[in-house]
Amino acid sequence: MNRVVTRIPPSPTGRLHIGTARTALFNYLFARHAGGKVIFRSEDTDRARSKKEYEDEIIEGLHWLGIGWDEFARQSERTARYTELLEKVIAEGKAYVSKELAKDDPEREVEVVRLKNPGKEVVFEDLVRGPINTHTGELGDFVIARSRTDALYHFAVVVDDMDGGVTHIIRGEDHIPNTARQILIQEALGAERPQYAHLPLILDEKRAKLSKRSGATSVMDYRAEGFLPEALVNYLALLGWNPGDEREDFSLTELVGAFSVEGIQKSGAAWNREKLLSVNQRWMRKLSDDQFFAALEASRPDATELASVARRAVPLLKERARTFGEARALLSGELACLFAAPELSRETLRAKEGERGTAFTKAGLEAVLHAAEALPESPDAETAKAALMPLADAEEAKEKGGRGAMLWPLRYALSGQERSPDPFTLFALLGREESSARVKKAIAILGA
Ligand code: GLU
């Protein structure tokens, strides 16, 4: 068999869509698995809608995912070749020039090129769906060029696939209706027929075709949200393909090894954001704390340096955040208290005091201050807990209202928030000195 050649042919008429990325990934995996070649082709024949900035974004996004190619082509640069082959099929009597009134302007006469349609039944063997038959009679002699020098999309695609030696066309099943038309053009050109594999559509949670209404559909939006490319690739690969066993975690290299057309399913593939989040969290947790911190810094729009307390918060972020966006939200929300000493309210400090009185609250905080002296500057949360929890468990504290009576003012003194991580975690993140300073401030607020 010929060396495998696949193609990634996006139309640069919009942002990099999840579906485009998935199709690109499957073409990449199939070719790399077989030791073959990938051609990237910008299908920019729609001059009104194609934009260079979309092409740039598509390329950047695919590269971000780790998808590369061996050859690059742009349809707008190949018009001379299309014209040459149009002339050839006209000369051979397989297509003809037809003088007609322009659709958009019935006053104007144009010379379109129509394919002589033999009107037969076209059967092709789809690698995913089996044989597909189409009666091409009803297509009539369809138009393949707006003029002798202006080939239409289907003609351009077939010429490009032929010239590129494409052996496998892997694309969304919404292209099935185009296939018979393209096969007729191939036959007119005497091109070899590639093999086809049409992928199931990506459906949203309501089982409708994934669209903007279903949520984010642009790869770059996922990047901005703080997803890892490894996670997105892993998730996209499993949208319509499965390895035939229970494995769920795949790096790109592992996917290249495992990929096969036989694993592609026929039925629609459901987009599941919760699943994507959990795949992403697994990939985030595979990072070392230093890698995680670097990725977090890089993921922030202002990319300023984070304080060292944020570095200490990495294990907590790994536990809680499913994207770097969620990690950023924690740092600016629940964990904002790590970066600036809070304003404390006397009322809130005393909120759980009940009958016990302010002297009790104050004594508890003083006991913490005392116990903290024996701690190192940067204890871990377990060490801080071992030193401080006994105070909350002490007989007197227990009698007077249990752990909460003692831990609430401490947690509030450290965070200034009603919601925050537990006081031992905060103590460890802030360090002994900062924690003690905050406790002292709380004691001062409680007054003499
Ligand atoms: N440019 C087409 C698209 O973006 C690709 C068609 C094909 O794969 O043949 O949908």
Side-chain angles (χ1 to χ4, degrees), residues 7 9-11 43 153 157 171 175:
R7 23 70 121 207
S11 305
E43 298 205 323
Y153 174 71
V157 166
R171 60 186 176 192
H175 288 286

Side-chain angles (χ1 to χ4, degrees), residues 68-289:
W69 39 85
D70 311 293
E71 270 176 35
F72 182 93
R74 203 177 270 126
Q75 288 187 327
S76 58
E77 292 165 5
R78 288 181 41 82
T79 49
R81 176 67 175 153
Y82 307 143
T83 301
E84 178 190 338
L85 291 174
L86 274 176
E87 288 304 331
K88 181 168 179 277
V89 288
I90 295 169
E92 290 172 358
K94 293 176 178 149
Y96 59 92
V97 176
S98 157
K99 285 193 193 329
E100 300 173 9
L101 296 175
K103 277 213 184 75
D104 52 354
D105 176 8
E107 305 280 293
R108 191 165 50 96
E109 200 178 53
V110 287
E111 290 191 327
V112 302
V113 182
R114 289 186 178 271
L115 187 87
K116 251 186 220 163
N117 182 353
K120 61 179 186 178
E121 180 173 30
V122 168
V123 185
F124 70 93
E125 183 69 27
D126 191 279
L127 295 174
V128 177
R129 319 179 71 85
I132 297 181
N133 301 23
T134 316
H135 296 280
T136 61
E138 64 208 41
L139 293 176
D141 287 350
F142 56 89
V143 178
I144 55 173
R146 256 179 239 112
S147 72
R148 297 176 84 120
T149 54
D150 193 4
L152 281 174
Y153 174 71
H154 290 301
F155 191 80
V157 166
V158 173
V159 170
D160 289 341
D161 289 340
M162 175 179 82
D163 286 353
V166 170
T167 58
H168 292 78
I169 294 182
I170 304 172
R171 60 186 176 192
E173 69 179 27
D174 44 333
H175 288 286
I176 289 177
N178 298 335
T179 305
R181 206 183 272 262
Q182 293 181 358
I183 286 174
L184 291 178
I185 299 174
Q186 270 159 23
E187 291 177 352
L189 283 166
E192 237 177 87
R193 186 189 296 186
Q195 294 210 272
Y196 290 92
H198 286 97
L199 306 176
L201 291 181
I202 304 177
L203 305 175
D204 67 13
E205 276 147 25
K206 294 186 193 114
R207 298 204 70 79
K209 190 177 166 190
L210 188 73
S211 72
K212 287 219 180 91
R213 256 174 294 139
S214 331
T217 51
S218 142
V219 168
M220 293 321 213
D221 286 346
Y222 286 94
R223 180 169 82 168
E225 243 195 276
F227 283 86
L228 285 169
E230 292 84 355
L232 210 51
V233 158
N234 189 162
Y235 179 73
L236 287 176
L238 297 171
L239 265 185
W241 172 81
N242 75 72
D245 56 38
E246 295 301 301
R247 272 181 304 165
E248 289 213 324
D249 283 15
F250 289 93
S251 66
L252 189 58
T253 314
E254 287 163 346
L255 286 168
V256 167
F259 192 78
S260 73
V261 167
E262 290 74 40
I264 299 175
Q265 74 196 40
K266 281 201 199 83
S267 54
W271 183 260
N272 181 336
R273 184 173 161 87
E274 285 304 308
K275 180 158 177 214
L276 172 61
L277 283 166
S278 77
V279 173
N280 198 56
Q281 187 167 39
R282 288 209 297 278
W283 277 95
M284 285 168 78
R285 286 177 177 170
K286 281 191 223 270
L287 300 176
S288 70
D289 287 2

Side-chain angles (χ1 to χ4, degrees), residues 19-49:
T20 306
R22 189 216 28 184
T23 305
L25 176 63
F26 281 30
N27 278 283
Y28 172 86
L29 295 176
F30 182 77
R32 288 289 179 263
H33 180 87
K37 185 168 91 173
V38 185
I39 302 173
F40 179 94
R41 182 164 81 220
S42 181
E43 298 205 323
D44 56 349
T45 45
D46 184 341
R47 274 161 298 198
R49 290 170 59 225

